[in-house]
Amino acid sequence: MMIKFKLSTSAIRTVLVSAIAAVTLVSALASAAERPRVGLVLGGGGARGAAHIGILEVLRENRIPVDCVAGTSMGGLVTGAFAAGLSPDEMLEAMGAADWRAMFNDNPPINELNPRIKYQSRRFIPGTEVGMTKEGAQALPAVVQGQKVKLFINRLVRSQYGEPLIEKMPIPVSIIATDLVTGDKVVFRDGSLTQAMRSTMSVPGLMAPVRNGEQLLVDGGLVDNVPIDEVRNRCNPDVVIAVNVGSPLMKANEIGGILTIAGQMINILTEQNVTRSLATLKPSDIYIKPDLDGISAAEFSRYAETAKRGRAAAEALLPRLKSLSVSETQYQDWLAKVTPVRGNLPVVDEVQIAGLKRVNPAYPDRYLKHYDDKPVDVDRIDKDMGLIYGDGLYDNVDFALLSTRDRNILRVTPLEKEFGPDYMRFGFNLNAVSNSPSTFNVRAAYQRTLINSLGGEWLAGVQVGNDNGVFAEYYQPLDAERLFFLEPKFSYMRGPLDIFQNNMRVAEYRVEQTKLELMAGINVGLWGPVSVGWSEYYRNADLEIGTPTTSNAAVHYHGFLAKMDFDQFDHLYDPTHGWAARGSYFYAAGDGYDKAELDLRAAESYGDYILHGRIRGAGSFTGTLPFYNAVALGGFLNLSGFARNQIIGESLAYGNVRLEKIVGRLPAGLRGDMRVGFALEGGRVNGLYTETELNGWQSSVSVYAGGETPVGMVYVGYGYSPNGLNNFYLFVGTP
């Protein structure tokens, strides 16, 4: 008996589609099973590590999936970004948006610094403080603490969506660091991704180590710069793609100072472990060493060129790399697996401040009052972390976004300085002038901070040189946010005062002045303080050289004092934009006169050119300023064609316009830039006590070169005036 089947057209279509799908599935499974597992190794090399991005471009274009990845130093940074799902284009965009020079200067712009810190930074060389602890004196552990580097890492891996954890990355990740205490290799396979990335980038001496429990972590390149063994252990790959971007050893003629010697020592250690790692490569593995000749480990600004060279190196090996390619479908499936899906930014339900032991939490909290019930704003977070760091109380300030079942918590962690809260601070200045005596002064001070819960601090110091003396002050905030304050001060100084007539130094007095101030004030945001109070002055002048021109009798005067000190410049000594306004008013009780001073400055940049303007005025509204409390013009950029304080009188008016051009920049982490400048100046002094023939307006023209350095300002200049001395100047240090 025969059984007949009659199939409809739709049924036949269904059977065929199912069959094709089954064959496709089987084929895909077979292909997936046959695909070799790929492990990617990204070595360290500083800025040369941007070549990794070009190599990742080639892997992406040729549909080469990666099953695990390990990296060291800059390779660790790219490893973290890759694991977090960033495309090569996104990495290049982040590199281009970064201000690499600013990144290696931990502090925010000066206009965003705490006014108290700003005030101290003008008197003492920033970054030279020595911590005084029970264990003894401790200096800063590195040139850079890494504050801005860590914020860059947070932004790079999209930490605003939540704290990224290594164990939750879609592919196995390993990042290598070195324990500075034991010398052991430390491998991050879990925990905070951003912390691992920051640790592996801590070049010893340049960037501060990262504390992890009892460990002090630095650059992993010291022990394993191309971690091939680690990637084998991580996912047992069939093929390892190893990328080496390390710097070659310097030649004898390239080794000069202590920095190059230290760099060479690190390179030797690195090369030794790289040689050992490369010896483990198998014939099936792929080794990529881009041609990075002429690109140093510090040249982050050449990231685009460096990435292109990495791309060229990978393209040269395309015949071998293409053997690892998969189908478009397979690659898109892999890409979907490793690329996180991000929705809307989370809303912050709560802000927590963690880790503080000595600092009142209300102090950093004053910057964090605008987050509740608002989506995370990474630009705002970066700014606020910088503001907190700018208070000068922390080694670094970090954040993490933690999500619970029903709440998003923005946890801010200010890590208090371990080498405080007592410090020694130092400053010096050398002021050499061709037509008057040069001066040299060195100052040192002991500072104690965090005396009480409101952040009281005192400072006492000594200055020796041409101007000798002692000084002491106490600063007591009156509220937890340090808005209001009390500030008593004492100083005793003894120094020279030169008297000029007809451009000749006719006398030199040795002036002693003791000053007492008791001020109360308010900090006007980040602009600076306004304060009022009472001041006492004791002054005596003894003739040492020349003809007497004034009485040497001791003088005691006192009265009401008001001051303001607003500074919104972007640099401490050598701004590119911003403004400053300083002024004071003194009423001499019982002496029948007052004294007012106002100094306004502004700067704006146009490319590499900076235009400056300044207006200064001083004098009395009531009575006549006596000689012992008179005003003066003369000195560099204060009528440069005249000696310092050469023209003394009862009132003054002064103005200048300067044009500067940036002609070079110091290496990252060493502060500012080098400039040449030209100034036009004009001023007059009324009621002359010295240079009694110089009535009316005087003019000066000056040219100079210099800039802001790790030891303060350094400049050389020449000032010319038709009626002046025409001086050559050399200045080094802090004012």
Side-chain angles (χ1 to χ4, degrees):
M1 180 176 71
M2 296 180 63
I3 301 175
K4 297 181 179 181
F5 296 92
K6 185 176 180 181
L7 298 177
S8 66
T9 303
S10 61
I12 294 172
R13 186 183 299 115
T14 301
V15 171
L16 289 173
V17 169
S18 300
I20 292 170
V23 171
T24 302
L25 177 62
V26 171
S27 177
L29 292 172
S31 179
E34 294 171 0
R35 178 178 75 81
R37 294 176 60 79
V38 176
L40 180 63
V41 180
L42 303 180
R48 294 159 63 96
H52 295 313
I53 302 174
I55 293 168
L56 292 176
E57 286 180 332
V58 175
L59 298 182
R60 192 179 187 97
E61 291 168 2
N62 288 276
R63 305 186 306 278
I64 300 172
V66 173
D67 296 283
C68 64
V69 58
T72 300
S73 194
M74 189 64 177
L77 183 81
V78 178
T79 290
F82 177 78
L86 271 74
S87 69
D89 287 344
E90 290 173 317
M91 295 182 201
L92 285 174
E93 183 182 357
M95 294 281 288
D99 186 343
W100 291 98
R101 288 187 57 79
M103 196 175 302
F104 292 100
N105 180 3
D106 293 306
N107 283 322
I110 296 299
N111 59 315
E112 296 179 6
L113 275 181
N114 176 302
R116 183 67 181 171
I117 301 299
K118 202 181 305 181
Y119 166 72
Q120 298 288 20
S121 298
R122 296 195 204 110
R123 306 163 67 195
F124 305 101
I125 300 173
T128 61
E129 66 263 29
V130 175
M132 307 302 293
T133 68
K134 295 179 180 179
E135 290 74 29
Q138 296 183 23
L140 285 170
V143 175
V144 180
Q145 291 296 299
Q147 171 64 23
K148 291 183 181 177
V149 172
K150 182 58 167 65
L151 293 179
F152 170 76
I153 292 171
N154 290 348
R155 180 184 287 261
L156 180 67
V157 300
R158 312 295 196 262
S159 291
Q160 63 267 33
Y161 287 93
E163 174 71 2
L165 300 175
I166 295 175
E167 63 269 27
K168 293 187 176 181
M169 294 295 103
I171 60 174
V173 179
S174 299
I175 294 176
I176 313 300
T178 303
D179 187 342
L180 193 59
V181 178
T182 64
D184 295 335
K185 178 167 71 174
V186 177
V187 182
F188 285 93
R189 295 179 180 173
D190 54 27
S192 169
L193 177 65
T194 60
Q195 194 77 343
M197 295 164 70
R198 167 65 180 85
S199 299
T200 194
M201 291 189 65
S202 300
V203 179
L206 174 62
M207 195 175 301
V210 174
R211 185 170 291 278
N212 184 40
E214 296 299 316
Q215 298 174 322
L216 285 178
L217 303 181
V218 296
D219 195 324
L222 297 177
V223 291
D224 198 358
N225 202 47
V226 185
I228 296 170
D229 284 347
E230 173 56 27
V231 87
R232 292 198 197 280
N233 295 332
R234 198 78 167 101
C235 68
N236 191 28
D238 299 299
V239 178
V240 171
I241 302 174
V243 186
N244 180 15
V245 295
S247 300
L249 295 176
M250 289 180 283
K251 297 179 174 61
N253 62 351
E254 297 174 323
I255 302 174
I258 187 171
L259 293 178
T260 57
I261 293 173
Q264 183 78 336
M265 292 173 64
I266 292 174
N267 286 344
I268 290 172
L269 291 173
T270 301
E271 281 298 305
Q272 288 176 345
N273 71 65
V274 168
T275 300
R276 290 193 296 269
S277 290
L278 296 181
T280 67
L281 288 173
K282 302 175 182 179
S284 59
D285 298 328
I286 300 173
Y287 176 57
I288 305 176
K289 185 173 176 56
D291 179 7
L292 301 174
D293 187 43
I295 299 177
S296 77
E299 291 184 285
F300 289 93
S301 61
R302 298 174 66 181
Y303 72 94
E305 176 190 352
T306 307
K308 287 181 180 178
R309 295 201 195 184
R311 180 184 181 92
E315 288 176 338
L317 294 170
L318 268 179
R320 293 195 63 193
L321 288 171
K322 282 187 173 182
S323 66
L324 305 175
S325 298
V326 298
S327 69
E328 182 66 28
T329 300
Q330 285 180 289
Y331 189 75
Q332 291 301 322
D333 289 343
W334 174 84
L335 199 61
K337 178 183 134 180
V338 300
T339 304
V341 178
R342 298 189 177 97
N344 296 327
L345 286 166
V347 173
V348 177
D349 298 301
E350 181 183 353
V351 176
Q352 293 180 355
I353 298 174
L356 292 179
K357 300 176 183 177
R358 299 187 299 265
V359 179
N360 189 330
Y363 195 37
D365 187 57
R366 74 193 194 279
Y367 299 115
L368 305 171
K369 297 184 179 299
H370 43 251
Y371 287 102
D372 290 351
D373 301 322
K374 294 179 182 177
V376 175
D377 183 342
V378 67
D379 292 329
R380 182 73 251 184
I381 289 178
D382 281 1
K383 182 178 178 68
D384 291 341
M385 298 304 105
L387 292 173
I388 296 172
Y389 183 84
D391 287 334
L393 301 170
Y394 317 103
D395 282 333
N396 60 71
V397 183
D398 203 2
F399 75 92
L401 186 67
L402 309 176
S403 297
T404 64
R405 182 176 300 176
D406 57 351
R407 297 181 68 77
N408 295 315
I409 300 169
L410 179 65
R411 179 172 293 172
V412 177
T413 308
L415 183 63
E416 296 170 338
K417 286 183 176 179
E418 293 198 5
F419 62 101
D422 295 0
Y423 308 94
M424 288 292 300
R425 299 188 180 275
F426 305 92
F428 82 101
N429 59 63
L430 167 66
N431 194 356
V433 186
S434 59
N435 285 308
S436 60
S438 299
T439 62
F440 180 76
N441 296 294
V442 178
R443 68 180 69 95
Y446 190 95
Q447 181 185 27
R448 185 172 188 184
T449 66
L450 303 175
I451 293 175
N452 49 50
S453 63
L454 296 180
E457 62 182 61
W458 65 263
L459 180 144
V462 60
Q463 178 168 298
V464 295
N466 295 86
D467 300 286
N468 298 298
V470 295
F471 51 90
E473 58 192 56
Y474 184 78
Y475 184 82
Q476 180 59 63
L478 300 178
D479 59 308
E481 296 186 356
R482 302 192 188 184
L483 180 63
F484 301 96
F485 62 87
L486 291 175
E487 188 176 22
K489 292 183 178 181
F490 164 83
S491 67
Y492 166 82
M493 298 299 294
R494 188 172 189 271
L497 172 65
D498 296 320
I499 305 298
F500 289 82
Q501 290 289 355
N502 299 319
N503 286 324
M504 296 182 61
R505 190 164 67 106
V506 298
E508 179 185 307
Y509 284 82
R510 186 63 56 174
V511 179
E512 294 184 36
Q513 179 168 282
T514 301
K515 180 169 65 175
L516 298 168
E517 290 183 3
L518 179 59
M519 308 296 289
I522 180 173
N523 288 308
V524 184
L526 296 175
W527 283 13
V530 174
S531 57
V532 297
W534 188 262
S535 60
E536 298 275 346
Y537 300 87
Y538 300 85
R539 193 174 188 271
N540 184 64
D542 293 323
L543 180 68
E544 293 206 343
I545 302 173
T547 304
T549 59
T550 184
S551 170
N552 63 354
V555 178
H556 171 218
Y557 58 104
H558 53 256
F560 169 82
L561 179 64
K563 298 188 293 184
M564 73 169 183
D565 186 0
F566 294 166
D567 189 341
Q568 284 293 282
F569 282 131
D570 61 336
H571 289 85
L572 190 61
Y573 307 115
D574 214 358
T576 60
H577 69 267
W579 60 271
R582 297 186 176 94
S584 66
Y585 177 79
F586 173 72
Y587 178 73
D591 292 337
Y593 75 92
D594 59 4
K595 180 180 181 182
E597 297 184 84
L598 183 64
D599 192 346
L600 304 175
R601 294 179 294 152
E604 189 56 64
S605 60
Y606 305 90
D608 284 339
Y609 292 90
I610 302 102
L611 183 64
H612 299 259
R614 182 186 184 190
I615 299 174
R616 180 187 172 212
S620 178
F621 296 111
T622 304
T624 301
L625 291 185
F627 180 81
Y628 57 79
N629 199 12
V631 296
L633 283 178
F636 185 66
L637 297 180
N638 198 37
L639 278 186
S640 303
F642 297 87
R644 186 168 67 97
N645 297 332
Q646 182 177 340
I647 313 172
I648 303 175
E650 298 173 16
S651 65
L652 66 81
Y654 170 82
N656 72 36
V657 176
R658 295 189 285 141
L659 181 65
E660 296 177 340
K661 185 180 189 306
I662 297 174
V663 294
R665 290 181 168 86
L666 294 178
L670 298 183
R671 280 186 210 286
D673 46 51
M674 295 292 105
R675 309 177 183 189
V676 294
F678 171 81
L680 297 175
E681 307 173 67
R684 66 177 296 167
V685 177
N686 298 321
L688 293 167
Y689 289 114
T690 64
E691 296 291 4
T692 53
E693 301 299 318
L694 294 180
N695 294 297
W697 283 93
Q698 307 297 318
S699 62
S700 282
V701 177
S702 56
V703 293
Y704 56 93
E708 190 172 334
T709 75
V711 297
M713 283 296 299
V714 176
Y715 63 73
V716 294
Y718 171 74
Y720 169 80
S721 176
N723 299 320
L725 288 168
N726 307 322
N727 287 301
F728 289 95
Y729 295 90
L730 168 65
F731 182 87
V732 181
T734 55

